[in-house]
Amino acid sequence: MDSYRIAILGAGNVATHIARHLHFKGHRLCAVWSPTEAHSRRLVEELVAGCPSEPGGGLLATADLNELPGDADFYIMTLADRAVSEVLAALPECGGIWLHTAGALPMEVFEAYRDAFGVLYPLQSMSREVAIDMETVPFLVEGSSPEVAEKIVQLAGSLSNRVRLSNWSQRLRIHLAAVFANNFSNHMLHIAKELCSREGLDPEWLVPLLEETFRKAVSVGPAAAQTGPALRDDRETMEKHLALLKDDSEWAKLYTFISRDIAAMAKRK
Amino acid sequence: MDSYRIAILGAGNVATHIARHLHFKGHRLCAVWSPTEAHSRRLVEELVAGCPSEPGGGLLATADLNELPGDADFYIMTLADRAVSEVLAALPECGGIWLHTAGALPMEVFEAYRDAFGVLYPLQSMSREVAIDMETVPFLVEGSSPEVAEKIVQLAGSLSNRVRLSNWSQRLRIHLAAVFANNFSNHMLHIAKELCSREGLDPEWLVPLLEETFRKAVSVGPAAAQTGPALRDDRETMEKHLALLKDDSEWAKLYTFISRDIAAMAKRK
């Protein structure tokens, strides 16, 4: 495997996991830039602590774009979508391949600013404090030329076994699907937990149900796994539930809309 | 452990799993009643096949309520909520403890018809073809007297390690929470899968994300695990997603409502 010299822009959840794993896989991180210097310093300290045999001096923590080394192989931008263009516009001239890690941002955002660029989008939800099995994360990648794409595939392949070339339209659509699969299903779990906690019921009681929910969705598929009052068109039960939600008008609305959509799905089957 | 003589009314998903496990745990099933005789026969055949040393003749499959043996210890009704009262009204006189397995049905539904009764509610989603680890399923139980409750706790305890006495209000609330935790989160996974399939994207790409979603919701809690454009108030990304949903007005509505609720949660934090 080629070992690359890499600079990270951003020091949030995605930066932390990507940097950790790049470091662990033997790539040479040369700098972490963040608009908040304490954040870049925190990430650099963690990375240096994770590999004490390497001299810490080789890895720069900075909040100054002008301090970024100009000779890295890759510059990976793990910034909020709207920050990517702002930072690109403020950058000094330098070489290397420029990447962002966003699902909903086209590769063309780089066009006015850089020659070689692409996308390294990890299809996974990342929180700093929760470890990730990076080898199983699908990486959707794209490059400004076949040669650049090949290099990005190599970089991604050193992190994960599931690397796929994907165009912008595919990436945006799978990003939308990921919002439903992760953010929205997670929010349903949040509401369930709140409903229990509020009434002094132990949310731990729901854990076997959660485990089963995801296990079945993966093994038999969510359509076959569906159960419950909406699927059965059990209106009496739905009325009782809505009565419990009378002081939570937003949750009552969600309950009604989602139940209606489950019923519509059942009819189409 | 006491071994009970048990009749099952209903032959659907819950009946199948409960009967299988009661049988496996050494209780003596004496009858399966279902309004559709083929259904009771199918369940009986499966149970007898699962334990070939026992004479099949001891376990009756019937669609006639008058054929139900009058001397069982327990009669477990795993019927649709609205069918429970109809069946109770049509039953001949007999003894034993009468149970239903519903989350949203009060115990008092039995009052006009039976002397000893209660509830045996498994807090789990069950599909006939997917095996269940019954020992981990929380059973919420209630009895018409302390003595009856004690017997139901014993029966439930032979199936599971997580038996809890719960009143009607607790049961209905946890049933509502379970609808969000299971039915609704599962529907989000269904929509995600549909969005991928439709565009020729492999829904398998989402599997690591699903596994992580649920693993994090259990380990750090769904509120801490939340990520995504709604939490970040990333309106540009949300607009791009809504543009993709322009021909799916119901899903666009769901997208907007759930995103709004995630944003409201983020503000309360």
Side-chain angles (χ1 to χ4, degrees):
Chain A
M1 186 199 81
D2 287 339
S3 161
Y4 293 116
R5 187 170 154 80
I6 300 171
I8 306 282
L9 290 88
N13 293 334
V14 175
T16 301
H17 285 285
I18 298 267
R20 252 182 220 163
H21 282 85
L22 287 170
H23 191 59
F24 179 70
K25 292 289 185 173
H27 295 289
R28 289 158 292 147
L29 297 175
C30 56
V32 174
W33 171 88
S34 157
T36 311
E37 193 167 338
H39 294 173
S40 49
R41 197 178 306 278
R42 179 179 59 184
L43 177 50
V44 163
E45 276 163 12
E46 189 211 314
L47 293 168
V48 172
C51 187
S53 65
E54 203 170 86
L59 175 47
L60 175 75
T62 183
D64 181 353
L65 288 171
N66 292 304
E67 286 190 1
L68 272 181
D71 60 346
D73 298 307
F74 286 102
Y75 296 79
I76 305 179
M77 307 181 85
T78 65
L79 307 170
D81 290 12
R82 68 179 80 98
V84 170
S85 308
E86 292 168 24
V87 169
L88 282 169
L91 273 167
E93 198 53 53
C94 70
I97 297 174
W98 284 73
L99 304 177
H100 72 64
T101 56
L105 199 64
M107 177 173 69
E108 286 66 28
V109 70
F110 289 110
E111 235 164 27
Y113 306 101
R114 289 294 180 261
D115 295 325
F117 51 83
V119 176
L120 177 76
Y121 168 55
L123 181 53
Q124 186 53 279
S125 158
M126 300 187 190
S127 313
R128 193 183 289 110
E129 64 283 1
V130 183
I132 289 271
D133 180 6
M134 194 64 86
E135 295 202 348
T136 67
V137 174
F139 275 83
L140 279 61
V141 305
E142 194 177 6
S144 53
S145 73
E147 297 71 33
V148 167
E150 181 50 39
K151 275 202 157 180
I152 305 170
V153 166
Q154 269 182 35
L155 178 71
S158 70
L159 292 173
S160 165
N161 303 318
R162 307 189 183 183
V163 178
R164 290 155 172 106
L165 281 170
S166 303
N167 64 28
W168 152 242
S169 158
Q170 291 172 320
R171 194 169 65 249
L172 181 62
R173 281 164 201 280
I174 210 151
H175 186 254
L176 170 61
V179 164
F180 276 94
N182 170 262
N183 304 153
F184 289 0
S185 69
N186 183 66
H187 193 59
M188 299 300 121
L189 306 185
H190 167 70
I191 295 174
K193 197 180 162 184
E194 278 289 300
L195 287 169
C196 287
S197 302
R198 250 196 221 176
E199 301 291 334
L201 299 164
D202 187 352
E204 288 294 312
W205 293 12
L206 293 172
V207 170
L209 182 67
L210 301 190
E211 287 172 349
E212 189 64 8
T213 301
F214 285 80
R215 202 174 67 81
K216 266 166 70 174
V218 172
S219 65
V220 304
Q226 192 58 283
T227 61
L231 188 79
R232 291 195 305 271
D233 193 27
D234 177 349
R235 291 176 197 204
E236 284 168 49
T237 297
M238 291 191 274
E239 285 304 318
K240 286 176 194 166
H241 286 164
L242 285 170
L244 286 188
L245 293 172
K246 66 182 186 311
D247 297 327
D248 297 288
S249 61
E250 288 299 309
W251 292 354
K253 240 183 254 170
L254 281 181
Y255 185 99
T256 303
F257 276 115
I258 300 173
S259 294
R260 204 163 69 189
D261 207 53
I262 292 173
M265 178 201 78
K267 263 186 208 148
R268 280 194 304 270
K269 269 212 288 197
Chain B
M1 187 201 80
D2 287 337
S3 161
Y4 294 116
R5 187 171 155 80
I6 299 171
I8 306 282
L9 291 87
N13 293 335
V14 174
T16 301
H17 284 285
I18 297 267
R20 253 182 218 162
H21 282 85
L22 288 170
H23 191 58
F24 180 69
K25 293 289 184 173
H27 295 288
R28 288 158 293 145
L29 297 175
C30 56
V32 174
W33 171 88
S34 157
T36 311
E37 192 166 341
H39 293 172
S40 48
R41 197 178 304 278
R42 179 179 59 185
L43 177 50
V44 163
E45 277 162 11
E46 191 213 310
L47 293 168
V48 171
C51 187
S53 64
E54 202 170 87
L59 175 48
L60 175 76
T62 182
D64 182 353
L65 288 171
N66 293 303
E67 285 190 2
L68 272 180
D71 59 346
D73 297 307
F74 286 102
Y75 295 80
I76 305 179
M77 307 181 86
T78 65
L79 307 170
D81 291 11
R82 68 178 81 97
V84 170
S85 308
E86 291 167 25
V87 169
L88 283 170
L91 273 167
E93 199 51 54
C94 70
I97 297 174
W98 284 73
L99 304 178
H100 72 65
T101 56
L105 199 62
M107 177 172 69
E108 287 66 28
V109 70
F110 289 110
E111 237 165 24
Y113 305 102
R114 288 294 180 263
D115 296 324
F117 52 83
V119 176
L120 177 76
Y121 168 55
L123 181 55
Q124 186 52 280
S125 157
M126 301 188 190
S127 313
R128 192 182 291 110
E129 64 281 4
V130 183
I132 288 273
D133 180 7
M134 193 65 84
E135 295 201 349
T136 67
V137 173
F139 275 84
L140 279 61
V141 304
E142 193 178 6
S144 53
S145 73
E147 296 72 33
V148 168
E150 182 50 39
K151 276 201 155 181
I152 304 169
V153 167
Q154 270 183 34
L155 178 71
S158 70
L159 292 173
S160 165
N161 302 320
R162 305 190 184 183
V163 178
R164 290 156 173 105
L165 281 171
S166 304
N167 63 28
W168 152 242
S169 158
Q170 292 173 319
R171 195 168 65 248
L172 181 61
R173 280 164 201 280
I174 210 151
H175 187 253
L176 170 61
V179 164
F180 277 93
N182 170 262
N183 304 152
F184 289 180
S185 69
N186 183 66
H187 193 58
M188 299 301 122
L189 307 184
H190 167 70
I191 294 174
K193 195 179 163 184
E194 278 289 299
L195 287 169
C196 287
S197 302
R198 249 195 223 178
E199 301 290 334
L201 299 163
D202 187 352
E204 287 294 313
W205 294 13
L206 294 171
V207 170
L209 183 67
L210 301 192
E211 286 170 351
E212 188 65 7
T213 300
F214 138 76
R215 202 174 65 81
K216 266 166 68 174
V218 172
S219 64
V220 303
Q226 191 59 282
T227 61
L231 189 78
R232 290 195 305 272
D233 193 27
D234 177 349
R235 290 176 198 204
E236 284 167 50
T237 297
M238 291 191 274
E239 285 304 319
K240 287 176 193 166
H241 286 164
L242 284 170
L244 287 187
L245 293 173
K246 65 181 187 312
D247 296 328
D248 297 288
S249 61
E250 288 298 310
W251 292 354
K253 239 182 256 170
L254 280 181
Y255 186 98
T256 304
F257 276 115
I258 300 172
S259 293
R260 205 163 69 188
D261 207 52
I262 291 173
M265 177 201 77
K267 264 186 209 148
R268 278 193 305 270
K269 268 213 286 196

